[in-house]
């Protein structure tokens, strides 16, 4: 882990589905993880032909690596940088979507709603179990993905 929060995932690590690049993050206490919310950048070292038109989220090997990372690091989306598209790209690795040069990534609304609701419940429970509150961060994460959170979403979850 670098101080800037940039993690390089090498081709061999992708092929082996190795989460070794994320190991420094595994050792952090939840409070320290939350201090890095919105700052982690993942870079894939993946060879591509110059005429390969695919987005990274369309490369099966990268999707499988990302699915494994998401399963074993459920807090990962909360940490990913948001303004440069890191979070959006990660979620595109996990969910059905379409891509256009003019509109960017468009998620299947039903898939996004299910995944986002699940992740909100999971991360809220995780953070509260450690005496922390990350609802503001979760709401920001949802907004970046175009998911509108109903005003009463958190009601009854305390």
């Amino acid at each position: 882990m670098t101080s800037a929060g940039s993690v390089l995932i090498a081709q061999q690590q992708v092929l082996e589905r190795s989460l070794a690049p994320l190991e420094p993050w595994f050792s952090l206490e939840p409070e320290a993880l939350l201090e890095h919310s919105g700052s982690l950048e993942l870079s894939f070292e993946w060879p591509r032909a110059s005429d390969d038109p695919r987005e990274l989220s369309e490369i099966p090997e990268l999707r499988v690596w990302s699915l494994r990372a998401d399963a074993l690091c459920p807090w990962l989306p909360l940490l990913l940088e948001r303004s440069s598209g890191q979070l959006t790209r990660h979620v595109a690795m996990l969910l059905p979507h379409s891509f256009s040069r003019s509109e960017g990534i468009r998620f299947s609304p039903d898939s996004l709603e299910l995944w986002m609701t699940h992740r909100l419940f999971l991360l809220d429970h995780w953070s509260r179990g450690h005496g922390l509150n990350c609802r503001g961060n979760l709401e920001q994460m949802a907004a970046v993905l175009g998911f509108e959170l109903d005003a009463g979403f958190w009601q009854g979850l305390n």
Side-chain angles (χ1 to χ4, degrees):
M1 175 173 63
T2 67
S3 60
S6 182
V7 174
L8 177 66
I9 300 105
Q11 178 184 8
Q12 193 61 36
Q13 291 167 322
V14 170
L15 294 173
E16 294 171 355
R17 297 182 199 107
S18 169
L19 298 183
L22 295 175
E23 283 180 9
W25 297 89
F26 289 130
S27 64
L28 295 178
E29 293 295 321
E31 188 172 16
L33 278 173
L34 292 178
E35 288 174 9
H36 293 282
S37 290
S39 66
L40 179 62
E41 295 184 15
L42 301 179
S43 298
F44 292 98
E45 188 177 83
W46 191 259
R48 295 172 57 186
S50 60
D51 61 344
D52 186 347
R54 297 177 299 173
E55 295 295 315
L56 292 178
S57 62
E58 296 174 308
I59 299 172
E61 296 88 349
L62 299 181
R63 289 189 88 165
V64 169
W65 186 92
S66 296
L67 283 164
R68 183 164 193 262
D70 191 70
L72 299 179
C73 313
W75 37 259
L76 184 59
L78 190 57
L79 300 186
L80 290 172
E81 198 284 326
R82 297 167 186 152
S83 63
S84 70
Q86 288 279 318
L87 173 62
T88 303
R89 183 185 72 192
H90 176 72
V91 175
M93 298 281 194
L94 312 174
L95 299 180
H97 65 279
S98 60
F99 180 82
S100 76
R101 298 274 178 222
S102 61
E103 295 180 36
I105 293 175
R106 311 248 335 148
F107 294 105
S108 162
D110 291 341
S111 295
L112 181 61
E113 180 179 4
L114 287 171
W115 182 85
M116 194 72 239
T117 302
H118 174 266
R119 194 52 50 112
L120 291 169
F121 287 149
L122 175 73
L123 291 174
D124 182 59
H125 178 76
W126 169 79
S127 68
R128 290 193 172 271
H130 292 286
L132 304 168
N133 182 345
C134 68
R135 288 182 178 174
N137 257 327
L138 291 170
E139 290 170 2
Q140 183 184 29
M141 183 180 81
V144 166
L145 295 170
F147 184 77
E148 291 185 38
L149 209 54
D150 182 81
F153 182 83
W154 302 113
Q155 193 172 2
L157 296 179
N158 294 326

